[in-house]
Amino acid sequence: MGIGIKRGILGAWLWGCFSAQGWALCDTPWRVGYDQWPPYHFRGADATMQGYGVEVLQGVARRLGCEVTFIERPWKRNLQELELGELSIAMEAFINDERSRYAWFSEPYSPGKTMLWVRRDAQFDDGSLPAWLAAGHRLGITKEFYYGAEVANLVARYPDRISALVDESQNYGKLMRGRIDGFLGDALATRWALHQEGLLGKIVPFSEPIFVMPARFMMSKQRFDPSEVARFNQELAVFMASPEYDALLRRYFPEAIRSEP
């Protein structure tokens, strides 16, 4: 009888520890900051949240028994509020030392491919971005978007050939008018935007990806501890191995993107 009681107490204690940990992870809805960046995360015409990143995060939240509240913010404000703990999570984030001061990062969930986009009728012999710029071509980039160290060095080396704009879509018209020869854009988001503008057949990716850095969920250290991030990653891996994720991938990533290098 004594052993049974002890076992019962031990079992209750273990259950209590597990429940406390689960409660800490999901005690309040996750406040998730986002900006409009289809098809990763955006609010649709019916006011519902949509997008690849949104559905991945919702899939993980369901498995953990957590609720999610999406809050639209400019990207810089997302980072500020994440640091203060006013937001729980930001999406489509890259790791750097500054962000690592105040945030944990999930395992990767998004390909993060940057392509050089050019007019379909353009004739270029240069197979790499350094050679392309060295040949005198003009490049459009989006301000405050990170394209990796190599691109940053090229931008510094060829400042007279770089056009930096606040909104990527401004580069579409500049390219079609011949004011630039190409621009850098995300493999999926740019393709989506060009399709919306009726330009997908006229503007195409050139060569292989310029920069590849898989994106992650960025999780405030004010809201999560390492054990909770580990549980999040565990459920993220389960979700990404599921048929639900396979269907999600097929829906948001056309074969053309999935087959690109």
Side-chain angles (χ1 to χ4, degrees):
M1 177 68 76
I3 293 175
I5 292 173
K6 288 180 180 178
R7 286 177 176 170
I9 292 172
L10 177 61
W13 180 80
L14 288 172
W15 183 89
C17 289
F18 177 80
S19 297
Q21 186 182 43
W23 183 86
L25 184 58
C26 302
D27 58 346
T28 59
W30 296 342
R31 290 171 55 84
V32 179
Y34 78 97
D35 53 357
Q36 289 282 112
W37 200 36
Y40 291 109
H41 37 79
F42 62 102
R43 197 170 290 279
D46 61 355
T48 61
M49 285 301 301
Q50 301 175 31
Y52 169 75
V54 168
E55 294 194 42
V56 172
L57 185 60
Q58 288 173 331
V60 175
R62 283 196 303 273
R63 282 160 172 75
L64 288 168
C66 300
E67 296 181 7
V68 183
T69 299
F70 291 96
I71 302 167
E72 186 171 3
R73 296 282 189 268
W75 178 244
K76 280 190 173 181
R77 187 173 172 189
N78 273 331
L79 299 181
Q80 292 167 354
E81 295 190 6
L82 200 77
E83 182 173 7
L84 295 172
E86 295 173 5
L87 290 178
S88 310
I89 296 174
M91 296 186 286
E92 287 296 309
F94 300 144
I95 298 175
N96 63 35
D97 291 341
E98 170 60 20
R99 295 173 184 176
S100 295
R101 284 192 307 101
Y102 56 86
W104 310 112
F105 290 85
S106 74
E107 291 299 314
Y109 72 93
S110 184
K113 295 180 182 179
T114 297
M115 313 297 293
L116 173 61
W117 296 81
V118 300
R119 287 175 54 156
R120 179 179 289 277
D121 58 5
Q123 300 293 323
F124 298 124
D125 297 325
D126 316 287
S128 69
L129 185 61
W132 191 83
L133 282 169
H137 301 304
R138 299 156 297 172
L139 177 69
I141 61 174
T142 305
K143 289 181 178 178
E144 298 182 3
F145 197 91
Y146 183 64
Y147 302 105
E150 181 182 13
V151 173
N153 291 334
L154 290 171
V155 169
R157 188 186 309 170
Y158 301 107
D160 57 326
R161 297 175 199 165
I162 304 299
S163 171
L165 299 173
V166 174
D167 188 337
E168 179 188 286
S169 64
Q170 295 173 295
N171 281 317
Y172 306 165
K174 292 189 71 172
L175 179 63
M176 295 306 295
R177 292 191 297 271
R179 294 173 59 190
I180 57 175
D181 301 300
F183 64 89
L184 298 184
D186 182 78
L188 182 59
T190 299
R191 184 182 295 269
W192 180 283
L194 290 172
H195 177 72
Q196 301 302 312
E197 297 286 337
L199 294 171
L200 186 55
K202 300 175 182 178
I203 299 176
V204 297
F206 173 69
S207 188
E208 297 183 356
I210 299 300
F211 176 59
V212 178
M213 179 180 283
R216 305 163 186 262
F217 294 112
M218 191 173 171
M219 307 171 70
S220 173
K221 289 184 177 180
Q222 301 279 355
R223 293 295 192 100
F224 299 95
D225 65 35
S227 67
E228 292 166 344
V229 176
R231 288 187 63 211
F232 182 99
N233 282 329
Q234 184 179 32
E235 294 304 328
L236 175 62
V238 171
F239 177 74
M240 293 182 72
S242 69
E244 182 182 355
Y245 177 74
D246 288 342
L248 178 65
L249 204 61
R250 288 193 297 271
R251 189 162 74 253
Y252 283 104
F253 287 79
E255 181 61 32
I257 292 180
R258 284 181 277 142
S259 63
E260 284 170 358

